[in-house]
Amino acid sequence: LRVGLVVFGLTCAIEFGQLWQPSGLESVRGHWVGQVLLGSTFDGRDFLGYGLGLAIALGLESSRRSEDQPKDR
């Protein structure tokens, strides 16, 4: 749960960071590595994907935990 929420928080912070465009940060985004890591344009629809990814991760984690529980015989 903790890892999924941290990743969700970081991706949301990066997305909101795309609204902030100081010249130094724009020069980093001008390189392909900076653009891949930081993105270039804000799109609110991306939050849907982040939330869906979090829901899938939490579902998989919950499923894994229930499989790890000892079975009643």
Side-chain angles (χ1 to χ4, degrees), residues 3-16:
V3 172
L5 291 175
V6 168
V7 170
F8 179 76
L10 288 173
T11 56
C12 289
I14 290 170
E15 189 68 32
F16 278 120

Side-chain angles (χ1 to χ4, degrees), residues 22-52:
S23 60
L25 195 53
E26 286 302 301
S27 67
V28 171
R29 287 184 182 132
H31 298 285
W32 71 271
V33 174
Q35 192 162 6
V36 167
L37 294 176
L38 300 175
S40 58
T41 56
F42 176 84
D43 187 347
R45 294 175 293 183
D46 289 342
F47 293 107
L48 179 62
Y50 306 150
L52 182 60

Side-chain angles (χ1 to χ4, degrees), residues 55-71:
I56 290 169
L58 292 177
L60 290 172
E61 182 178 354
S62 174
S63 173
R64 183 185 56 88
R65 284 188 181 177
S66 66
E67 289 175 2
D68 291 344
Q69 296 292 328
K71 306 279 185 199

